[in-house]
Every structure is written in structure tokens, then in C-alpha cells.
Amino acid sequence: MKKYLMANWKMQLLNTEAIELAGELVMGLEQLGVDKTNNIETVFCAQYTALPQLSKVLVNSKIKLGAQDVFYHEKGQYTGEVSPLQLKELGVEYVIIGHSERRKFLKETDEEVNRKIKISLEHGLTPIFCVGETAEERRSNKTEVTIIRQITRGLEDVELKDDQKIIIAYEPVWAISPAPPAKPEEVSVVIKLIRHLLKDFFAPKVCQEQIITVYGGSASGENVKSFMQVDGIGGALVGGASLTKDKFLPMIEEMN
Ligand code: PGA
């Protein structure tokens, strides 16, 4: 099955830096032959302002363009928001939804996450749906309850057409860099729970073929292999280690 390596550049790069990094990575991936083997889907999720130029940089490569959020309306009086149609227009194919930083700093709710997932699918964007418990939730034994809440509310009434997929990124908030990564055993428990919950929402074939579960949280070239060995993990969502070619390219090599 295809593996997924998705870079989440967050708000870390100026537009010029994002374009430069993308150019370096395109070249690096070509040299590694990843473009030819076709077994890893690489996605760059960049800030909105860099997307128009990035779509030009990526036009002849197999790397896909992703956004870091989307609004849940197509058009209208929503100052400052960006619609799925506007993203599509730029060639965006993936969109991160419900990242813990948005849940924390922008007070994004499960209901908003759900609306964003639905509208993204309606317009042919692949959601990268993030879930994960905070350190406090883990300490007070609320990991399961949190994941169950995020998954069940996030996926309510979500339907997938045959050619669509959803990526679910398990990102324990306490493992996002600069914190150390989670242990593969800890990740395995939650991935199992997520995959179990999915059965309530989708047919077995859909769960198996169209819902990809990935890990995020200080993933790097040093540890990505150990996460890829966890049953049910099909890739990684990467923040810090996606910001330089020297850190990102080794991850590809490890996954290839
Ligand atoms: P990190 O970020 O790899 O820097 O921990 C992952 C994420 O927040 O998506």
C-alpha cells in the first residue's frame, strides 16, 4: 500500500523560504528516485500565502500541495477565511483539519472540524484529520475518551466516494516537537482504538482501503521506521523535521 509523508510547515517559513525549500526537496526527491517508484505520496502543507507560487514549483513533480486549514463555507461574508474552492483553484489536494494548535490557539471545536472535513470531501480535497490527547488528558487517563470524542464527532455524517480517502493523523499533543516523540507501543494502542472506531462509520473495505492512519509528533529520520512498523500506520505528518532538506530527505529514504 502507498505510504504517506506529509510536511506540515506551520507558520515557520517566509514565503521565499518555503519556495526555496520546496525547490530543494523537489530536486532531492528526484535524485532519490521517489518520483519514479511511486510508493510514497509526499505532500507539502504550506501557509496559504505561499500556495500560489508553490503550485508552480510543484507543477512537474508528483509532490502534492496541501493547506493547513480551510473554512466550512464555499463563499460569502467571512472575512479572513479561505474556502475549499479557493484552495482547489490553486491545485491544492490535501488539507490539514483540526490540528491541535488550531484546537488550542483558535479554539477550534470538534463540530467545526466535522464541517471542514465534510466540505473538503464535497470539493474533492483530502482531509488530513488530526486527533490527539494533551499531556493533561493522558495524565488523567482521558486518552481514550478524548480520541473517541474527536473521532466520533469529527466523522459524524461523513461519507466517502469510491475514489476518496481520509488521512487520520494521530498526534499526541505531548509528543509534538520540541517534546520527545511518543513510543511506538503507545502509538500502537491509540491507532488500534482509532481503527476500531472507524468500523462504526465505514464499511470494512472503505476502512481498509480509503482511511489511512498516520503518526505525527517529533517524527524524524531516526524514528520514522519504528513508527512505520506499527500495525495500522501508513505514514507520518511531520513538523520540525520537514523544515530542512537534510532532515526531510532521510525520512523519505527510511520509508522507501
Ligand atoms: P512535529 O510537528 O513533527 O514538529 O512534532 C508535527 C505536527 O504538529 O504536525
Side-chain angles (χ1 to χ4, degrees):
M1 219 168 151
K2 207 172 208 178
K3 297 172 227 164
Y4 291 80
L5 184 60
M6 295 157 297
N8 176 9
W9 292 344
K10 307 192 179 185
M11 203 181 70
Q12 299 278 33
L13 302 169
L14 292 175
N15 299 320
T16 44
E17 293 169 333
I19 307 309
E20 195 180 324
L21 176 60
E24 287 173 0
L25 293 176
V26 167
M27 255 172 23
L29 292 173
E30 255 170 42
Q31 278 157 10
L32 291 176
V34 175
D35 256 26
K36 283 188 209 86
T37 57
N38 222 3
N39 56 355
I40 301 184
E41 175 99 326
T42 313
V43 186
F44 296 166
C45 299
Q47 68 267 30
Y48 288 142
T49 50
L51 294 174
Q53 259 182 290
L54 277 175
S55 66
K56 291 185 191 129
V57 176
L58 301 183
V59 77
N60 288 320
S61 89
K62 289 207 180 121
I63 299 163
K64 301 288 164 49
L65 193 56
Q68 298 174 10
D69 186 36
V70 63
F71 195 51
Y72 47 76
H73 284 293
E74 286 161 5
K75 191 178 177 157
Q77 293 165 300
Y78 305 107
T79 304
E81 293 295 342
V82 172
S83 93
L85 296 177
Q86 293 166 333
L87 294 179
K88 286 288 286 183
E89 207 181 4
L90 295 175
V92 170
E93 294 182 51
Y94 288 80
V95 57
I96 297 176
I97 296 175
H99 191 279
S100 60
E101 286 148 16
R102 296 197 59 81
R103 293 181 191 258
K104 178 177 174 192
F105 297 115
L106 285 303
K107 306 282 171 253
E108 199 161 275
T109 64
D110 293 316
E111 288 66 31
E112 286 167 322
V113 168
N114 175 253
R115 293 178 75 176
K116 290 178 178 188
I117 292 174
K118 285 193 284 200
I119 200 159
S120 296
L121 289 167
E122 244 171 70
H123 294 287
L125 292 164
T126 298
I128 304 169
F129 167 33
C130 299
V131 299
E133 80 284 6
T134 62
E136 174 50 32
E137 284 162 341
R138 175 158 278 251
R139 254 195 308 276
S140 49
N141 286 323
K142 291 203 178 111
T143 299
E144 261 193 46
V145 145
T146 303
I147 300 295
I148 292 172
R149 192 200 74 233
Q150 290 174 339
I151 292 283
T152 51
R153 295 202 183 151
L155 293 180
E156 196 177 326
D157 298 326
V158 168
E159 282 171 24
L160 277 182
K161 295 194 194 103
D162 288 350
D163 62 341
Q164 291 189 314
K165 57 184 183 286
I166 300 182
I167 315 265
I168 301 182
Y170 170 51
E171 298 206 312
V173 181
W174 48 271
I176 289 178
S177 65
K183 296 192 183 77
E185 312 86 82
E186 294 168 321
V187 176
S188 170
V189 173
V190 178
I191 293 289
K192 262 199 200 109
L193 170 64
I194 295 172
R195 304 246 34 127
H196 178 74
L197 293 169
L198 290 176
K199 293 183 195 153
D200 286 342
F201 291 88
F202 305 103
K205 192 167 181 284
V206 175
C207 290
Q208 212 177 334
E209 291 171 11
Q210 294 172 253
I211 316 243
I212 296 106
T213 33
V214 305
Y215 170 72
S218 303
S220 69
E222 282 97 64
N223 60 34
V224 73
K225 222 174 203 157
S226 64
F227 290 114
M228 293 305 295
Q229 278 158 4
V230 172
D231 203 26
I233 290 200
L237 178 58
V238 193
S242 71
L243 293 170
T244 62
K245 72 170 187 323
D246 294 343
K247 288 191 175 155
F248 194 67
L249 294 177
M251 292 191 80
I252 296 258
E253 287 186 279
E254 287 296 315
M255 283 173 70
N256 212 356

